[in-house]
């Protein structure tokens, strides 16, 4: 895998009726590297209507995923099926306590593609909120451009 990559992050929150749930997807450019058995994905995110950016660093393998956000929004989320993680998510609108209980982590990797899928249950301020699903796809920038042109 090359250092320069396209990163696609898709999230889905299911609260009650699944017909009301719509996935949210973000596609951006980023950087990738592999160190000590872990995938590292770094990219910037912009929050519409707010100045500045948020730097995201995802660290993952088949056993866990961590997401660090620093900037307009700040949080350190840990997705580990072995234990529930409590953290505070600081946004431009204020801070909220998050409980994250991962139920499944799947990491598939090939020379030209990395897919990370995480299923988890989300609590906000100790109240159950939703079943959530995140998919992170990483592809080399050059390979992605070729597939877009085909």
């Amino acid at each position: 895998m090359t250092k320069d990559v396209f990163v696609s992050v898709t999230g889905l929150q299911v609260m009650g009726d699944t017909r009301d749930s719509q996935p949210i997807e973000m596609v951006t450019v980023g950087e990738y590297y592999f160190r000590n058995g872990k995938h590292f994905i770094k990219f910037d995110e912009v929050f519409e209507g707010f100045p500045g950016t948020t730097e995201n660093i995802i660290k993952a393998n088949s056993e866990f995923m961590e997401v660090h956000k620093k900037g307009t929004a700040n949080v350190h989320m840990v997705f580990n099926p072995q234990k529930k993680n409590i953290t505070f998510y600081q946004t431009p609108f204020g801070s909220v306590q998050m409980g994250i209980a991962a139920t499944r982590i799947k990491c598939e990797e090939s020379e030209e593609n990395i897919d990370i899928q995480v299923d988890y249950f989300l609590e906000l301020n100790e109240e159950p909120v939703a079943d959530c699903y995140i998919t992170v796809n990483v592809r080399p920038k050059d390979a992605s451009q070729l597939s877009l042109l085909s």
Side-chain angles (χ1 to χ4, degrees), residues 14-32:
V14 178
M15 298 178 277
D17 191 348
T18 58
R19 292 176 292 184
D20 297 332
S21 302
Q22 296 292 322
I24 296 172
E25 182 176 21
M26 175 186 68
V27 178
T28 188
V29 294
E31 296 177 8
Y32 167 82

Side-chain angles (χ1 to χ4, degrees), residues 44-121:
D44 289 334
E45 180 179 9
V46 176
F47 287 90
E48 191 174 327
F50 294 94
T53 61
T54 297
E55 178 185 74
N56 289 266
I57 298 175
I58 297 174
K59 178 170 54 172
N61 63 21
S62 60
E63 298 172 11
F64 79 100
M65 181 171 82
E66 288 185 31
V67 177
H68 294 265
K69 291 179 177 273
K70 185 175 181 180
T72 306
N74 296 285
V75 70
H76 177 207
M77 297 181 282
V78 178
F79 302 88
N80 182 339
Q82 306 300 324
K83 62 182 176 182
K84 181 174 154 183
N85 175 256
I86 305 292
T87 190
F88 285 91
Y89 196 162
Q90 299 171 341
T91 73
F93 302 105
S95 182
V96 64
Q97 179 186 358
M98 292 175 56
I100 300 168
T103 56
R104 181 180 77 103
I105 297 178
K106 183 177 180 184
C107 183
E108 295 179 341
E109 45 192 292
S110 69
E111 202 172 301
E112 296 292 319
N113 192 58
I114 296 169
D115 273 313
I116 305 164
Q117 299 171 357
V118 179
D119 302 349
Y120 66 99
F121 185 74

Side-chain angles (χ1 to χ4, degrees), residues 6-7 20 25 27 37 41 58 70 101 130 140-141 144-145:
F6 279 116
V7 180
D20 297 332
E25 182 176 21
V27 178
I41 304 130
I58 297 174
K70 185 175 181 180
K141 209 169 166 185
S144 298
Q145 290 171 334

